[in-house]
Amino acid sequence: MPKTVLITGANGEIGHGLIEALSTRPDVRIVALDLRPLEESLAHRCHATVVGDVTDSELLARLASEHSIDTVFHLAALLSSRSERQPLLAHRVNVDGTLNLLELAISECRTEAKDVVFVYPSSIAVYGLPDLETKDSAAAVDEDSYVEPTTMYGVNKRYCEMLGGYYADHYRQLDAEPSRGHLDFRCIRFPGLISAATIPSGGTSDFGAEMLHAAAKDEPYACFVRADTRIPFMAMPDAIKALLLLEAAPKARLTRQVYNIAAFNPSADEIRRLTLDAFPNAIVTYAPDLRRQGIVDAWPADVDDSAARRDWGFAPDYDLLRAFGEYLVPALGRR
Ligand code: AKB
């Protein structure tokens, strides 16, 4: 029987790559949900496309009645900068929306007596380093250190990590009869992601991608963080690879529900220099936005992803130089 995979936020940065990767698998039927109609290049790859809002529980109930969901990739979210500007909307989408999807998944488990894998993208935004001295001395932060988010987005992501753990391990624990189906919650804390296919919106790690895409379009770019700002980044193909690896991993191999993954952690100026190497006429200046700077200064310079490498074999294909030389610059040149 084909496996039915629900992808929320399907039109987003990660959604594009995930649909392209999953649609090559004959055993997978994709149900794509997004606020906006799916681009035609993606829609024809899906078994069904639904235009709607993850906060609409009636819509989700109808969706669940029409499809027997086996796996959920819940990508829909407002990112960190936009969440700071619209905190109540962020909570509604990032938390209430996730609660709705967890309820949809656990209902599938209980009514069909099957396990549903729920893959959830969290973020380095759950970390809150207290000051730059601590950030510089902390080196690679593991999953259990400095989990003190300072943004609405980071708080949302941390809460939903815990909510997923509740639905997986403790849901309705006072019921007389335990459910025969279980929700299998799996979570990745993503670094900043850089895609050649899409320009991010609403993130605070977006300076990396914005700089490169502006240069490719021969537009000047004023970077909103300092030149020495350093956070973890990853090329989008490795993010997609990680989601698929984690989803497919035997549950017995997993020693935790929430995993860091890492690839490279350049400073903003290292990104600028590689951008200028690729686009010599680019004009990249610095105009730090002290408020947004404060957000990324609280994020770790690097994360420890040894658990992901040990438990489910994650290893990035792209380091910084390969990401630019073999993925970003060639793809942007073609675009
Ligand atoms: C953001 O910048 O808000 C996101 C993230 C780091 O999770 N890209």
Side-chain angles (χ1 to χ4, degrees):
M1 284 289 284
K3 184 164 68 171
T4 300
V5 176
L6 171 61
I7 299 175
T8 71
N11 240 339
E13 277 201 281
I14 302 176
H16 274 71
L18 190 59
I19 290 173
E20 285 171 1
L22 274 176
S23 59
T24 62
R25 287 173 34 181
D27 63 327
V28 168
R29 288 191 316 189
I30 297 171
V31 177
L33 170 63
D34 198 281
L35 272 177
R36 295 171 289 125
L38 215 56
E39 291 178 24
E40 187 40 47
S41 63
L42 295 176
H44 80 274
R45 296 168 176 262
C46 299
H47 172 70
T49 60
V50 180
V51 178
D53 189 330
V54 292
T55 62
D56 182 346
S57 47
E58 288 180 12
L59 167 86
L60 294 179
R62 283 199 307 275
L63 190 154
S65 68
E66 292 164 8
H67 305 282
S68 176
I69 305 294
D70 299 293
T71 298
V72 178
F73 288 95
H74 173 41
L75 309 178
L78 267 62
L79 299 183
S80 55
S81 287
R82 186 172 176 205
S83 295
E84 282 311 297
R85 296 185 179 109
Q86 297 177 277
L88 289 183
L89 175 63
H91 190 279
R92 194 155 63 244
V93 173
N94 294 343
V95 175
D96 295 346
T98 301
L99 184 62
N100 284 347
L101 267 299
L102 288 167
E103 278 291 323
L104 178 153
I106 200 94
S107 173
E108 294 281 279
C109 296
R110 293 160 72 88
T111 53
E112 299 190 28
K114 68 177 182 179
D115 288 1
V116 171
V117 176
F118 193 106
V119 182
Y120 179 71
S122 184
S123 161
I124 55 172
V126 304
Y127 296 109
L129 282 297
D131 51 57
L132 284 177
E133 184 183 355
T134 307
K135 173 171 177 169
D136 293 342
S137 62
V141 170
D142 67 29
E143 288 90 348
D144 303 315
S145 302
Y146 300 105
V147 184
E148 301 283 348
T150 62
T151 59
M152 173 56 96
Y153 173 74
V155 168
N156 294 163
K157 286 297 182 179
R158 178 58 188 143
Y159 175 63
C160 288
E161 290 177 357
M162 299 166 72
L163 205 54
Y166 165 76
Y167 271 78
D169 303 331
H170 307 293
Y171 185 72
R172 296 183 65 94
Q173 57 199 279
L174 300 184
D175 281 1
E177 289 298 320
S179 165
R180 287 181 294 138
H182 298 91
L183 187 141
D184 180 353
F185 180 78
R186 305 178 182 198
C187 172
I188 293 174
R189 286 180 181 161
F190 280 114
L193 299 180
I194 305 182
S195 166
T198 54
I199 301 177
S201 60
T204 319
S205 67
D206 294 351
F207 60 89
E210 288 175 355
M211 187 187 297
L212 187 62
H213 279 264
K217 292 187 289 187
D218 207 17
E219 295 170 356
Y221 182 70
C223 182
F224 59 79
V225 296
R226 292 186 317 265
D228 67 334
T229 301
R230 189 180 300 276
I231 58 171
F233 279 98
M234 179 172 285
M236 185 60 76
D238 277 331
I240 304 305
K241 171 183 170 181
L243 285 170
L244 296 176
L245 267 177
L246 179 57
E247 187 268 340
K251 186 165 176 58
R253 292 283 308 275
L254 306 182
T255 59
R256 55 184 310 123
Q257 288 170 336
V258 180
Y259 288 90
N260 283 337
I261 58 172
F264 46 86
N265 62 325
S267 68
D269 210 50
E270 287 168 351
I271 296 174
R272 175 180 172 272
R273 287 202 295 273
L274 286 166
T275 299
L276 293 175
D277 288 348
F279 302 99
N281 298 327
I283 299 173
V284 180
T285 55
Y286 290 102
D289 173 336
L290 296 185
R291 294 178 180 81
R292 296 179 85 181
Q293 182 71 57
I295 291 176
V296 291
D297 281 348
W299 294 353
D302 196 5
V303 293
D304 175 354
D305 66 353
S306 53
R309 292 170 184 259
R310 180 195 65 229
D311 288 2
W312 40 282
F314 175 72
D317 291 331
Y318 294 94
D319 59 18
L320 179 61
L321 294 181
R322 282 196 69 192
F324 269 79
E326 297 182 25
Y327 166 56
L328 292 166
V329 174
L332 285 167
R334 286 193 295 274
R335 281 167 60 92

Coordinates of all heavy atoms in Angstrom, one line a residue, residues 79-80 123-124 153 203-205 299, ligand 1:
L79 N 8.5 32.5 10.8 CA 9.9 32.5 11.3 C 10.2 33.6 12.3 O 9.3 34.4 12.6 CB 10.8 32.5 10.1 CG 10.7 31.4 9.1 CD1 11.7 31.5 8.0 CD2 10.8 30.0 9.8
S80 N 11.4 33.7 12.7 CA 11.7 34.4 14.0 C 11.4 35.9 13.8 O 10.8 36.5 14.7 CB 13.2 34.2 14.3 OG 14.0 34.5 13.3
S123 N 14.4 24.5 15.6 CA 15.3 25.5 15.2 C 16.4 25.8 16.2 O 16.1 25.6 17.4 CB 14.5 26.8 14.9 OG 15.4 27.9 14.8
I124 N 17.5 26.3 15.8 CA 18.5 26.8 16.7 C 18.0 28.0 17.5 O 18.6 28.4 18.5 CB 19.8 27.3 15.9 CG1 19.4 28.3 14.9 CG2 20.5 26.1 15.4 CD1 20.7 28.9 14.2
Y153 N 9.2 33.0 18.4 CA 9.5 31.8 17.5 C 10.2 30.7 18.3 O 9.8 29.5 18.2 CB 10.2 32.3 16.3 CG 10.7 31.2 15.4 CD1 9.8 30.6 14.5 CD2 12.1 30.9 15.3 CE1 10.3 29.6 13.6 CE2 12.5 29.9 14.4 CZ 11.6 29.3 13.6 OH 12.1 28.3 12.7
G203 N 12.8 35.4 8.4 CA 13.8 34.8 9.3 C 14.9 35.8 9.7 O 15.0 36.8 9.1
T204 N 15.6 35.5 10.8 CA 16.7 36.3 11.2 C 18.0 35.8 10.7 O 19.0 36.5 10.7 CB 16.7 36.5 12.7 OG1 15.3 36.7 13.1 CG2 17.5 37.8 13.1
S205 N 18.0 34.5 10.3 CA 19.2 33.9 9.7 C 19.2 34.2 8.2 O 20.1 33.8 7.5 CB 19.2 32.4 9.9 OG 18.1 31.8 9.2
W299 N 21.9 33.1 19.5 CA 21.9 31.8 18.9 C 23.4 31.3 18.9 O 24.3 32.0 18.8 CB 21.4 31.8 17.5 CG 19.9 32.2 17.4 CD1 19.1 32.3 18.4 CD2 19.2 32.4 16.2 NE1 17.8 32.6 18.0 CE2 17.8 32.7 16.6 CE3 19.5 32.5 14.8 CZ2 16.8 33.0 15.7 CZ3 18.5 32.8 13.9 CH2 17.2 33.0 14.4
Ligands
AKB1 C1 14.9 32.0 11.2 O1 15.8 32.7 10.9 O2 14.0 32.4 11.9 C2 14.9 30.5 10.8 C3 15.6 29.7 11.8 C4 16.9 29.9 12.2 O3 14.9 28.8 12.3 N1 15.6 30.4 9.5

